[in-house]
Amino acid sequence: MASMLFRTIQTHPFLLYPTTLLRRNNAVLYCTLKSAHTQTAAQEEQQKPPQIKGSPQTRQAKTKTLDKISKDYETIIGIETHVQLSTLTKAFCSCPYNYGTQPNTSICPICMGLPGALPVLNSKVIEFAVKLGLALNCKLSLNSKFDRKQYFYPDLPKGYQISQFDIPIATGGYLDVDLPVEFGGGHRRFGVTRVDLNRAGVPLLEIVSEPDMRTGLEAAEYAAELQRLVRYLGVSNGNMQEGSLRCDVNVSIRPVGQLKFGTKVEIKNLNSFSSINRAIDFEIARQALLHSQGEDDQIVQETRLWEEGSQKTVTMRKKEGLADYRYFPEPDIPEVILMKEYVDSIQSSLPELPEMKRRRYEKMGLSMQDVLFLANDINVAQFFDATIANGADVKLAANWIMGDIAAYMKNEKLTINDIELTPEELAELIASIKSATISGKIGKEILFELMAKGGTVNGIIKEKNLVQIVDPSEIEKMVDKVLSENPKQLEQYRGGKTKLQGFFAGQVMKISKGKANPGLLNKILLEKLNAKC
């Protein structure tokens, strides 16, 4: 069955879409990215690494230690990122996979590797791998194959993973990352080495970077950009708390000027960007201390775990080498042949990716801080794009989304898809304030009602009679009333306490129920306050 199916796929590439015949279970795809370093004026980001924990003295001492290490040693960092794909079923069988299901409720003879049970590749796995390979600027291998990797693990009853070894599906790409503004900004380009789909049937995509990173911050930002990318593509939810995206970090150091790499240590299963940053910083300091004490032979190739409570890495197991895995071609799955038409159709379907979106926002005149916030979440970016598509001023739309809307979502623990406000109504609100139909103060009140209850800007304005007062004579009457009712404050103002202007303006706004045009109000108020008696 499997052999016949893949012969058909070679002739009819459109069959590389999900059908009832195609199942998933295990696969491995590789994407090799070459090293390239560039610095630009680009800056970024939302995913802020944590501050060094402990007392101010502890933080200061750690900072000095890391500064000294950076002068004496060069750190080499690479990351293996495991991305669980958002497929309805596993990689090589029809068993569903849903996070949090009861143990052993979604398994079959194929998952368990029972005799006579043959895997059948789920086409969606290939589609997602091709999509990610293209997004990572890779050159695709039109012919690739699967291999068995002998790997004994409690949740792997077959005793091997189905992966790709020597013929990866994609090579020669890169990932561009903008570093956070608060850490100096800058643009970096990191290489990626391969992508695997493995485990006991659950489709995982393993993205292996080139050893291009030099600090914990760079590694954390690289991982954050990968999460952003898979979410933009829709190939994974990227939720680290669910294990949908996990990182294994390889760290080594060498004295500055030495060409030979130091001994590589792997830190396993880091599931937050802050953990990546702190685990790397600790491991750099640990290895540097051993070097400085002449005990660098104590640094051995091993797998370590990050203990969040003690804030340190600890030994898990000695690291296996390639010989331990005993790779050989997977006999039950034919080679995968990609047709050019199939690849072209996926290429044309790719969305605007984070890097492209950030550059487009920059060209609109937005600051890098604005760019990084808006492009960080695809749903926020889509809301912003829809708002300006409805005619809203670019900077004003960004300010509303990053300010009051973001604050409301944070306080209410909502996403932008959860609020009742629509992009069309935000654009209408901005237009109503710009045209002086309503004041900015009234605009905020309308905004919060729209976010909580929905509705339309014009409907709320009409219902509550919120149209801004722009008649000078009407505002003048209110100013005269406030001045006559506050003679003491008027005398103090004219005696030199000019800050009382705000008090008078506030009283007029109170009388007008916030509807007085602020510019007109201040103009009339100043004329009255400074008039000679």
Side-chain angles (χ1 to χ4, degrees), residues 421 425 428-429 438 442-467:
L421 174 69
E425 290 308 313
E428 182 63 33
L429 182 68
I438 58 174
I442 293 293
K444 283 195 175 188
E445 294 175 9
I446 293 175
L447 175 72
F448 283 102
E449 182 165 344
L450 289 172
M451 288 192 289
K453 300 178 182 177
T456 67
V457 174
N458 291 330
I460 295 174
I461 291 174
K462 184 177 180 180
E463 177 190 346
K464 299 186 176 181
N465 189 25
L466 298 176
V467 175

PDB file of all heavy atoms in Angstrom, residues 421 425 428-429 438 442-467:
ATOM      1  N   LEU A 421     -14.156  44.774  20.089  1.00  0.00           N
ATOM      2  CA  LEU A 421     -13.795  45.839  19.149  1.00  0.00           C
ATOM      3  C   LEU A 421     -13.337  45.250  17.816  1.00  0.00           C
ATOM      4  O   LEU A 421     -12.572  44.291  17.787  1.00  0.00           O
ATOM      5  CB  LEU A 421     -12.670  46.687  19.747  1.00  0.00           C
ATOM      6  CG  LEU A 421     -12.052  47.766  18.852  1.00  0.00           C
ATOM      7  CD1 LEU A 421     -13.045  48.896  18.611  1.00  0.00           C
ATOM      8  CD2 LEU A 421     -10.762  48.288  19.465  1.00  0.00           C
ATOM      9  N   GLU A 425     -14.224  49.521  13.474  1.00  0.00           N
ATOM     10  CA  GLU A 425     -14.685  50.508  14.455  1.00  0.00           C
ATOM     11  C   GLU A 425     -13.534  51.277  15.072  1.00  0.00           C
ATOM     12  O   GLU A 425     -13.692  52.450  15.439  1.00  0.00           O
ATOM     13  CB  GLU A 425     -15.528  49.830  15.535  1.00  0.00           C
ATOM     14  CG  GLU A 425     -16.877  49.341  15.035  1.00  0.00           C
ATOM     15  CD  GLU A 425     -17.664  50.433  14.315  1.00  0.00           C
ATOM     16  OE1 GLU A 425     -17.767  51.560  14.838  1.00  0.00           O
ATOM     17  OE2 GLU A 425     -18.176  50.161  13.206  1.00  0.00           O
ATOM     18  N   GLU A 428     -12.907  53.924  12.619  1.00  0.00           N
ATOM     19  CA  GLU A 428     -13.970  54.936  12.719  1.00  0.00           C
ATOM     20  C   GLU A 428     -13.765  55.819  13.942  1.00  0.00           C
ATOM     21  O   GLU A 428     -13.987  57.035  13.895  1.00  0.00           O
ATOM     22  CB  GLU A 428     -15.333  54.245  12.796  1.00  0.00           C
ATOM     23  CG  GLU A 428     -16.528  55.184  12.854  1.00  0.00           C
ATOM     24  CD  GLU A 428     -16.658  56.032  11.604  1.00  0.00           C
ATOM     25  OE1 GLU A 428     -16.309  55.544  10.501  1.00  0.00           O
ATOM     26  OE2 GLU A 428     -17.098  57.205  11.727  1.00  0.00           O
ATOM     27  N   LEU A 429     -13.313  55.231  15.048  1.00  0.00           N
ATOM     28  CA  LEU A 429     -13.051  55.995  16.265  1.00  0.00           C
ATOM     29  C   LEU A 429     -11.931  57.009  16.034  1.00  0.00           C
ATOM     30  O   LEU A 429     -12.041  58.185  16.427  1.00  0.00           O
ATOM     31  CB  LEU A 429     -12.669  55.038  17.396  1.00  0.00           C
ATOM     32  CG  LEU A 429     -12.399  55.666  18.759  1.00  0.00           C
ATOM     33  CD1 LEU A 429     -13.684  56.236  19.350  1.00  0.00           C
ATOM     34  CD2 LEU A 429     -11.789  54.652  19.724  1.00  0.00           C
ATOM     35  N   ILE A 438     -15.689  63.980  18.175  1.00  0.00           N
ATOM     36  CA  ILE A 438     -15.599  63.695  19.605  1.00  0.00           C
ATOM     37  C   ILE A 438     -14.205  64.061  20.087  1.00  0.00           C
ATOM     38  O   ILE A 438     -13.269  64.179  19.291  1.00  0.00           O
ATOM     39  CB  ILE A 438     -15.883  62.205  19.916  1.00  0.00           C
ATOM     40  CG1 ILE A 438     -14.904  61.307  19.154  1.00  0.00           C
ATOM     41  CG2 ILE A 438     -17.324  61.838  19.622  1.00  0.00           C
ATOM     42  CD1 ILE A 438     -15.017  59.838  19.507  1.00  0.00           C
ATOM     43  N   ILE A 442     -13.465  61.466  25.302  1.00  0.00           N
ATOM     44  CA  ILE A 442     -14.674  60.719  24.970  1.00  0.00           C
ATOM     45  C   ILE A 442     -14.317  59.480  24.147  1.00  0.00           C
ATOM     46  O   ILE A 442     -14.907  58.410  24.305  1.00  0.00           O
ATOM     47  CB  ILE A 442     -15.664  61.607  24.189  1.00  0.00           C
ATOM     48  CG1 ILE A 442     -16.190  62.717  25.086  1.00  0.00           C
ATOM     49  CG2 ILE A 442     -16.806  60.783  23.633  1.00  0.00           C
ATOM     50  CD1 ILE A 442     -17.052  62.249  26.226  1.00  0.00           C
ATOM     51  N   GLY A 443     -13.315  59.639  23.271  1.00  0.00           N
ATOM     52  CA  GLY A 443     -12.876  58.521  22.450  1.00  0.00           C
ATOM     53  C   GLY A 443     -12.432  57.340  23.284  1.00  0.00           C
ATOM     54  O   GLY A 443     -12.740  56.181  22.965  1.00  0.00           O
ATOM     55  N   LYS A 444     -11.715  57.621  24.394  1.00  0.00           N
ATOM     56  CA  LYS A 444     -11.274  56.530  25.266  1.00  0.00           C
ATOM     57  C   LYS A 444     -12.459  55.828  25.913  1.00  0.00           C
ATOM     58  O   LYS A 444     -12.487  54.603  26.047  1.00  0.00           O
ATOM     59  CB  LYS A 444     -10.333  57.065  26.346  1.00  0.00           C
ATOM     60  CG  LYS A 444      -8.925  57.339  25.857  1.00  0.00           C
ATOM     61  CD  LYS A 444      -7.968  57.499  27.020  1.00  0.00           C
ATOM     62  CE  LYS A 444      -6.533  57.659  26.521  1.00  0.00           C
ATOM     63  NZ  LYS A 444      -5.558  57.619  27.630  1.00  0.00           N
ATOM     64  N   GLU A 445     -13.447  56.619  26.321  1.00  0.00           N
ATOM     65  CA  GLU A 445     -14.636  56.017  26.945  1.00  0.00           C
ATOM     66  C   GLU A 445     -15.359  55.112  25.950  1.00  0.00           C
ATOM     67  O   GLU A 445     -15.798  54.011  26.285  1.00  0.00           O
ATOM     68  CB  GLU A 445     -15.569  57.119  27.450  1.00  0.00           C
ATOM     69  CG  GLU A 445     -14.975  57.939  28.589  1.00  0.00           C
ATOM     70  CD  GLU A 445     -15.878  59.104  28.990  1.00  0.00           C
ATOM     71  OE1 GLU A 445     -17.031  59.151  28.498  1.00  0.00           O
ATOM     72  OE2 GLU A 445     -15.434  59.957  29.775  1.00  0.00           O
ATOM     73  N   ILE A 446     -15.468  55.579  24.713  1.00  0.00           N
ATOM     74  CA  ILE A 446     -16.124  54.772  23.672  1.00  0.00           C
ATOM     75  C   ILE A 446     -15.313  53.509  23.388  1.00  0.00           C
ATOM     76  O   ILE A 446     -15.865  52.421  23.212  1.00  0.00           O
ATOM     77  CB  ILE A 446     -16.297  55.602  22.383  1.00  0.00           C
ATOM     78  CG1 ILE A 446     -17.284  56.743  22.614  1.00  0.00           C
ATOM     79  CG2 ILE A 446     -16.749  54.724  21.225  1.00  0.00           C
ATOM     80  CD1 ILE A 446     -17.431  57.684  21.441  1.00  0.00           C
ATOM     81  N   LEU A 447     -13.976  53.664  23.369  1.00  0.00           N
ATOM     82  CA  LEU A 447     -13.111  52.521  23.094  1.00  0.00           C
ATOM     83  C   LEU A 447     -13.352  51.393  24.087  1.00  0.00           C
ATOM     84  O   LEU A 447     -13.511  50.230  23.694  1.00  0.00           O
ATOM     85  CB  LEU A 447     -11.641  52.957  23.151  1.00  0.00           C
ATOM     86  CG  LEU A 447     -10.621  51.818  22.988  1.00  0.00           C
ATOM     87  CD1 LEU A 447     -10.592  51.330  21.552  1.00  0.00           C
ATOM     88  CD2 LEU A 447      -9.231  52.268  23.432  1.00  0.00           C
ATOM     89  N   PHE A 448     -13.381  51.719  25.373  1.00  0.00           N
ATOM     90  CA  PHE A 448     -13.542  50.675  26.383  1.00  0.00           C
ATOM     91  C   PHE A 448     -14.911  50.022  26.299  1.00  0.00           C
ATOM     92  O   PHE A 448     -15.054  48.825  26.546  1.00  0.00           O
ATOM     93  CB  PHE A 448     -13.278  51.247  27.777  1.00  0.00           C
ATOM     94  CG  PHE A 448     -11.815  51.432  28.064  1.00  0.00           C
ATOM     95  CD1 PHE A 448     -11.221  52.688  27.983  1.00  0.00           C
ATOM     96  CD2 PHE A 448     -11.020  50.344  28.384  1.00  0.00           C
ATOM     97  CE1 PHE A 448      -9.875  52.858  28.227  1.00  0.00           C
ATOM     98  CE2 PHE A 448      -9.658  50.504  28.631  1.00  0.00           C
ATOM     99  CZ  PHE A 448      -9.080  51.763  28.546  1.00  0.00           C
ATOM    100  N   GLU A 449     -15.934  50.796  25.927  1.00  0.00           N
ATOM    101  CA  GLU A 449     -17.257  50.198  25.747  1.00  0.00           C
ATOM    102  C   GLU A 449     -17.263  49.266  24.540  1.00  0.00           C
ATOM    103  O   GLU A 449     -17.863  48.186  24.577  1.00  0.00           O
ATOM    104  CB  GLU A 449     -18.315  51.283  25.576  1.00  0.00           C
ATOM    105  CG  GLU A 449     -19.719  50.711  25.437  1.00  0.00           C
ATOM    106  CD  GLU A 449     -20.817  51.743  25.626  1.00  0.00           C
ATOM    107  OE1 GLU A 449     -20.530  52.829  26.162  1.00  0.00           O
ATOM    108  OE2 GLU A 449     -21.957  51.451  25.240  1.00  0.00           O
ATOM    109  N   LEU A 450     -16.592  49.685  23.474  1.00  0.00           N
ATOM    110  CA  LEU A 450     -16.523  48.841  22.277  1.00  0.00           C
ATOM    111  C   LEU A 450     -15.776  47.541  22.564  1.00  0.00           C
ATOM    112  O   LEU A 450     -16.164  46.471  22.088  1.00  0.00           O
ATOM    113  CB  LEU A 450     -15.831  49.592  21.140  1.00  0.00           C
ATOM    114  CG  LEU A 450     -16.601  50.746  20.500  1.00  0.00           C
ATOM    115  CD1 LEU A 450     -15.688  51.506  19.542  1.00  0.00           C
ATOM    116  CD2 LEU A 450     -17.831  50.233  19.764  1.00  0.00           C
ATOM    117  N   MET A 451     -14.678  47.611  23.335  1.00  0.00           N
ATOM    118  CA  MET A 451     -13.913  46.408  23.640  1.00  0.00           C
ATOM    119  C   MET A 451     -14.707  45.443  24.513  1.00  0.00           C
ATOM    120  O   MET A 451     -14.590  44.221  24.363  1.00  0.00           O
ATOM    121  CB  MET A 451     -12.585  46.777  24.321  1.00  0.00           C
ATOM    122  CG  MET A 451     -11.580  47.419  23.382  1.00  0.00           C
ATOM    123  SD  MET A 451      -9.896  47.544  24.074  1.00  0.00           S
ATOM    124  CE  MET A 451     -10.134  48.811  25.318  1.00  0.00           C
ATOM    125  N   ALA A 452     -15.497  45.999  25.445  1.00  0.00           N
ATOM    126  CA  ALA A 452     -16.237  45.147  26.384  1.00  0.00           C
ATOM    127  C   ALA A 452     -17.555  44.644  25.816  1.00  0.00           C
ATOM    128  O   ALA A 452     -17.930  43.489  26.026  1.00  0.00           O
ATOM    129  CB  ALA A 452     -16.487  45.914  27.681  1.00  0.00           C
ATOM    130  N   LYS A 453     -18.268  45.513  25.088  1.00  0.00           N
ATOM    131  CA  LYS A 453     -19.642  45.171  24.683  1.00  0.00           C
ATOM    132  C   LYS A 453     -19.847  45.141  23.172  1.00  0.00           C
ATOM    133  O   LYS A 453     -20.869  44.642  22.691  1.00  0.00           O
ATOM    134  CB  LYS A 453     -20.616  46.177  25.292  1.00  0.00           C
ATOM    135  CG  LYS A 453     -20.587  46.228  26.813  1.00  0.00           C
ATOM    136  CD  LYS A 453     -21.542  47.296  27.334  1.00  0.00           C
ATOM    137  CE  LYS A 453     -21.493  47.393  28.851  1.00  0.00           C
ATOM    138  NZ  LYS A 453     -22.384  48.480  29.343  1.00  0.00           N
ATOM    139  N   GLY A 454     -18.929  45.710  22.427  1.00  0.00           N
ATOM    140  CA  GLY A 454     -19.125  45.797  20.989  1.00  0.00           C
ATOM    141  C   GLY A 454     -19.994  46.988  20.627  1.00  0.00           C
ATOM    142  O   GLY A 454     -20.180  47.917  21.415  1.00  0.00           O
ATOM    143  N   GLY A 455     -20.523  46.977  19.423  1.00  0.00           N
ATOM    144  CA  GLY A 455     -21.326  48.100  18.953  1.00  0.00           C
ATOM    145  C   GLY A 455     -20.578  48.916  17.922  1.00  0.00           C
ATOM    146  O   GLY A 455     -19.539  48.490  17.401  1.00  0.00           O
ATOM    147  N   THR A 456     -21.102  50.107  17.635  1.00  0.00           N
ATOM    148  CA  THR A 456     -20.475  50.992  16.653  1.00  0.00           C
ATOM    149  C   THR A 456     -20.185  52.347  17.271  1.00  0.00           C
ATOM    150  O   THR A 456     -20.866  52.774  18.209  1.00  0.00           O
ATOM    151  CB  THR A 456     -21.370  51.189  15.426  1.00  0.00           C
ATOM    152  OG1 THR A 456     -22.554  51.915  15.820  1.00  0.00           O
ATOM    153  CG2 THR A 456     -21.773  49.850  14.814  1.00  0.00           C
ATOM    154  N   VAL A 457     -19.187  53.005  16.741  1.00  0.00           N
ATOM    155  CA  VAL A 457     -18.810  54.335  17.237  1.00  0.00           C
ATOM    156  C   VAL A 457     -19.971  55.313  17.046  1.00  0.00           C
ATOM    157  O   VAL A 457     -20.367  56.016  17.982  1.00  0.00           O
ATOM    158  CB  VAL A 457     -17.552  54.843  16.507  1.00  0.00           C
ATOM    159  CG1 VAL A 457     -17.244  56.286  16.905  1.00  0.00           C
ATOM    160  CG2 VAL A 457     -16.365  53.940  16.803  1.00  0.00           C
ATOM    161  N   ASN A 458     -20.510  55.346  15.839  1.00  0.00           N
ATOM    162  CA  ASN A 458     -21.593  56.294  15.562  1.00  0.00           C
ATOM    163  C   ASN A 458     -22.829  55.998  16.395  1.00  0.00           C
ATOM    164  O   ASN A 458     -23.537  56.915  16.836  1.00  0.00           O
ATOM    165  CB  ASN A 458     -21.935  56.268  14.072  1.00  0.00           C
ATOM    166  CG  ASN A 458     -20.814  56.846  13.217  1.00  0.00           C
ATOM    167  OD1 ASN A 458     -20.078  57.727  13.673  1.00  0.00           O
ATOM    168  ND2 ASN A 458     -20.672  56.366  11.998  1.00  0.00           N
ATOM    169  N   GLY A 459     -23.085  54.720  16.629  1.00  0.00           N
ATOM    170  CA  GLY A 459     -24.239  54.351  17.437  1.00  0.00           C
ATOM    171  C   GLY A 459     -24.105  54.830  18.867  1.00  0.00           C
ATOM    172  O   GLY A 459     -25.068  55.347  19.456  1.00  0.00           O
ATOM    173  N   ILE A 460     -22.909  54.680  19.452  1.00  0.00           N
ATOM    174  CA  ILE A 460     -22.680  55.116  20.839  1.00  0.00           C
ATOM    175  C   ILE A 460     -22.718  56.639  20.933  1.00  0.00           C
ATOM    176  O   ILE A 460     -23.281  57.206  21.879  1.00  0.00           O
ATOM    177  CB  ILE A 460     -21.336  54.563  21.351  1.00  0.00           C
ATOM    178  CG1 ILE A 460     -21.388  53.038  21.420  1.00  0.00           C
ATOM    179  CG2 ILE A 460     -20.999  55.143  22.719  1.00  0.00           C
ATOM    180  CD1 ILE A 460     -20.059  52.385  21.766  1.00  0.00           C
ATOM    181  N   ILE A 461     -22.129  57.329  19.953  1.00  0.00           N
ATOM    182  CA  ILE A 461     -22.141  58.796  19.950  1.00  0.00           C
ATOM    183  C   ILE A 461     -23.583  59.312  19.916  1.00  0.00           C
ATOM    184  O   ILE A 461     -23.955  60.230  20.675  1.00  0.00           O
ATOM    185  CB  ILE A 461     -21.349  59.344  18.741  1.00  0.00           C
ATOM    186  CG1 ILE A 461     -19.851  59.060  18.909  1.00  0.00           C
ATOM    187  CG2 ILE A 461     -21.585  60.839  18.561  1.00  0.00           C
ATOM    188  CD1 ILE A 461     -19.011  59.424  17.698  1.00  0.00           C
ATOM    189  N   LYS A 462     -24.375  58.720  19.052  1.00  0.00           N
ATOM    190  CA  LYS A 462     -25.771  59.153  18.914  1.00  0.00           C
ATOM    191  C   LYS A 462     -26.579  58.817  20.159  1.00  0.00           C
ATOM    192  O   LYS A 462     -27.338  59.647  20.670  1.00  0.00           O
ATOM    193  CB  LYS A 462     -26.392  58.491  17.691  1.00  0.00           C
ATOM    194  CG  LYS A 462     -27.806  58.953  17.392  1.00  0.00           C
ATOM    195  CD  LYS A 462     -28.317  58.301  16.108  1.00  0.00           C
ATOM    196  CE  LYS A 462     -29.754  58.780  15.803  1.00  0.00           C
ATOM    197  NZ  LYS A 462     -30.287  58.161  14.569  1.00  0.00           N
ATOM    198  N   GLU A 463     -26.398  57.600  20.663  1.00  0.00           N
ATOM    199  CA  GLU A 463     -27.164  57.150  21.827  1.00  0.00           C
ATOM    200  C   GLU A 463     -26.886  57.997  23.060  1.00  0.00           C
ATOM    201  O   GLU A 463     -27.804  58.321  23.825  1.00  0.00           O
ATOM    202  CB  GLU A 463     -26.821  55.684  22.111  1.00  0.00           C
ATOM    203  CG  GLU A 463     -27.497  55.115  23.351  1.00  0.00           C
ATOM    204  CD  GLU A 463     -26.945  53.746  23.728  1.00  0.00           C
ATOM    205  OE1 GLU A 463     -26.239  53.126  22.901  1.00  0.00           O
ATOM    206  OE2 GLU A 463     -27.221  53.302  24.861  1.00  0.00           O
ATOM    207  N   LYS A 464     -25.635  58.390  23.264  1.00  0.00           N
ATOM    208  CA  LYS A 464     -25.248  59.108  24.479  1.00  0.00           C
ATOM    209  C   LYS A 464     -24.998  60.593  24.246  1.00  0.00           C
ATOM    210  O   LYS A 464     -24.516  61.286  25.156  1.00  0.00           O
ATOM    211  CB  LYS A 464     -23.997  58.459  25.077  1.00  0.00           C
ATOM    212  CG  LYS A 464     -24.225  56.999  25.478  1.00  0.00           C
ATOM    213  CD  LYS A 464     -23.023  56.418  26.195  1.00  0.00           C
ATOM    214  CE  LYS A 464     -23.314  55.007  26.668  1.00  0.00           C
ATOM    215  NZ  LYS A 464     -22.180  54.409  27.401  1.00  0.00           N
ATOM    216  N   ASN A 465     -25.315  61.047  23.033  1.00  0.00           N
ATOM    217  CA  ASN A 465     -25.152  62.473  22.712  1.00  0.00           C
ATOM    218  C   ASN A 465     -23.744  62.954  23.077  1.00  0.00           C
ATOM    219  O   ASN A 465     -23.554  63.868  23.868  1.00  0.00           O
ATOM    220  CB  ASN A 465     -26.194  63.318  23.455  1.00  0.00           C
ATOM    221  CG  ASN A 465     -26.192  64.758  22.974  1.00  0.00           C
ATOM    222  OD1 ASN A 465     -25.804  65.066  21.843  1.00  0.00           O
ATOM    223  ND2 ASN A 465     -26.617  65.675  23.849  1.00  0.00           N
ATOM    224  N   LEU A 466     -22.761  62.337  22.445  1.00  0.00           N
ATOM    225  CA  LEU A 466     -21.361  62.593  22.779  1.00  0.00           C
ATOM    226  C   LEU A 466     -20.650  63.503  21.782  1.00  0.00           C
ATOM    227  O   LEU A 466     -19.444  63.681  21.870  1.00  0.00           O
ATOM    228  CB  LEU A 466     -20.610  61.262  22.867  1.00  0.00           C
ATOM    229  CG  LEU A 466     -21.095  60.289  23.942  1.00  0.00           C
ATOM    230  CD1 LEU A 466     -20.329  58.980  23.844  1.00  0.00           C
ATOM    231  CD2 LEU A 466     -20.953  60.891  25.338  1.00  0.00           C
ATOM    232  N   VAL A 467     -21.405  64.090  20.864  1.00  0.00           N
ATOM    233  CA  VAL A 467     -20.757  64.942  19.856  1.00  0.00           C
ATOM    234  C   VAL A 467     -20.051  66.102  20.540  1.00  0.00           C
ATOM    235  O   VAL A 467     -20.605  66.763  21.430  1.00  0.00           O
ATOM    236  CB  VAL A 467     -21.795  65.464  18.836  1.00  0.00           C
ATOM    237  CG1 VAL A 467     -21.142  66.442  17.868  1.00  0.00           C
ATOM    238  CG2 VAL A 467     -22.420  64.298  18.085  1.00  0.00           C
TER     239      VAL A 467
END
